[in-house]
Amino acid sequence: MPQFPSGAAIPMSVVDVLRAAAGLQPKVRASFCWGRCVRGTYAPSDQAKEITRSRSFTMPSRVLARFSADGVSANAVDIDGCSLRGFSFRLGSGDQLSDIVTQSVPVHFARTLDQMLAFLQARMPGPDGKPDMARVEAFSAANPETLRQASYLAANPPPASLAYTTYWGVHAFPATNARGETRFIKFKVAPVGDERRPSEHAATAKSTGLLRDLDSRIAARDVRFSVMALLDRPGDPVMDVTIRWPDEDGREAVRLGTIVITGTEPNGACEASVFNPANLAEGIGHPPDEIFAARRDAYAISQTERR
């Protein structure tokens, strides 16, 4: 039986192994290494103040954002929906900025930093450039929760277009409103009017590739998202990002506002202004889970190494 790492992992070791497992160079992003930097606007809903007093969510602002995908090249079609997509965005202005990092699956692939490091090391390529599948299977059997992300993606492949994908923040964020009331929320970012889009949109995306499709839809002013807050219930798990809240798809959600993507930006604009999930304006607190604490450090490390 192969021996898997144990003990205290650190964010830097995870960043290094992420790059090594994917065969990436030191100054390349450790994950979601290609994407498109974009700009837009955010308009809050009348309900936003009931959830949070954070001015980044209750006031109109400009938006800097980045669409991305893991595991495929920039012009890939991804017709089988196997890639994990990402959508990171910054709301607010001045000292009231919030960076929100979301992805196309509502769970993470590891519960703790140690487990995340072991997951990646089990998949490190061998001398033949391929991972040892016996080692991967042994690790998965001992850590079944690490399969939930891939299982969800296999059962729910995203649309062919980045613009029509639904994105989740996998963490539970404590949100405090103007009355001082605090509850946990999860972010869900859903395309506006997705249910009304004809099937030929998907056909167009499949024929052009992810980024070219996105660029054409931005030019047509056809990229807008509702920023939703899923509301907690007593007993919801807030420390484990590998599991969803019970009946998460059917529970109450409040629309915080709408993001409209209006144009593209040079990729350097997103590189210079890293989306660090630790950047949250007062009224949205840091989630209590271990992965969030590691992620905020890993993002800073990854940017520093790329400079």
Side-chain angles (χ1 to χ4, degrees):
M1 176 70 67
Q3 298 298 309
F4 300 109
S6 60
I10 59 174
M12 182 172 288
S13 65
V14 171
V15 171
D16 290 343
V17 174
L18 271 169
R19 288 204 182 101
L24 300 174
Q25 297 300 312
K27 292 190 176 183
V28 175
R29 285 178 181 266
S31 61
F32 297 103
C33 59
W34 69 263
R36 177 71 81 230
C37 189
V38 299
R39 64 179 180 273
T41 60
Y42 170 77
S45 75
D46 294 338
Q47 297 176 293
K49 292 180 180 179
E50 295 297 313
I51 305 302
T52 177
R53 62 189 179 212
S54 173
R55 296 186 64 188
S56 57
F57 287 92
T58 61
M59 300 292 290
S61 70
R62 296 179 179 178
V63 174
L64 182 69
R66 183 176 185 266
F67 290 94
S68 57
D70 228 7
V72 294
S73 64
N75 293 319
V77 175
D78 189 31
I79 56 175
D80 59 357
C82 65
S83 68
L84 185 68
R85 286 91 178 274
F87 180 49
S88 301
F89 55 93
R90 172 169 294 172
L91 306 180
S93 60
D95 61 353
Q96 297 294 314
L97 295 173
S98 289
D99 289 348
I100 305 299
V101 177
T102 65
Q103 61 182 40
S104 58
V105 175
V107 293
H108 190 56
F109 64 83
R111 182 174 52 83
T112 67
L113 192 60
D114 285 347
Q115 188 179 58
M116 185 174 176
L117 181 62
F119 174 97
L120 296 168
Q121 290 186 326
R123 287 159 173 77
M124 285 288 290
D128 62 353
K130 299 178 181 179
D132 180 344
M133 293 312 299
R135 187 182 188 196
V136 172
E137 291 170 5
F139 176 82
S140 298
N143 299 268
E145 63 271 28
T146 63
L147 298 176
R148 291 172 185 157
Q149 185 183 88
S151 296
Y152 182 94
L153 189 59
N156 303 272
S161 176
L162 293 165
Y164 301 161
T165 299
T166 297
Y167 302 90
W168 285 268
V170 300
H171 308 279
F173 292 80
T176 303
N177 62 21
R179 295 187 295 273
E181 301 165 337
T182 299
R183 70 184 304 171
F184 283 102
I185 65 171
K186 285 187 177 182
F187 291 109
K188 180 179 179 180
V189 184
V192 174
D194 181 57
E195 72 281 355
R196 298 190 298 271
R197 291 192 170 98
S199 59
E200 53 263 27
H201 283 243
T204 300
K206 287 182 179 181
S207 66
T208 60
L210 289 171
L211 289 190
R212 285 191 292 267
D213 168 78
L214 180 65
D215 289 344
S216 68
R217 300 198 189 285
I218 292 173
R221 297 294 192 267
D222 190 33
V223 185
R224 59 184 61 215
F225 293 91
S226 292
V227 180
M228 311 292 294
L230 304 179
L231 306 184
D232 72 337
R233 295 173 183 165
D236 280 339
V238 298
M239 300 295 289
D240 188 344
V241 290
T242 68
I243 56 177
R244 305 187 72 186
W245 286 347
D247 189 32
E248 191 172 292
D249 288 328
R251 68 173 53 204
E252 183 181 3
V254 173
R255 188 174 68 85
L256 299 175
T258 302
I259 290 175
V260 179
I261 303 301
T262 58
T264 60
E265 288 286 323
N267 284 333
C270 288
E271 293 292 337
S273 184
V274 66
F275 299 100
N276 189 325
N279 297 332
L280 296 169
E282 196 273 333
I284 298 289
H286 287 183
D289 65 271
E290 181 178 329
I291 291 297
F292 182 86
R295 177 174 275 177
R296 69 191 183 198
D297 295 335
Y299 273 65
I301 291 168
S302 182
Q303 188 193 37
T304 298
E305 289 185 345
R306 294 199 307 270
R307 286 176 171 170

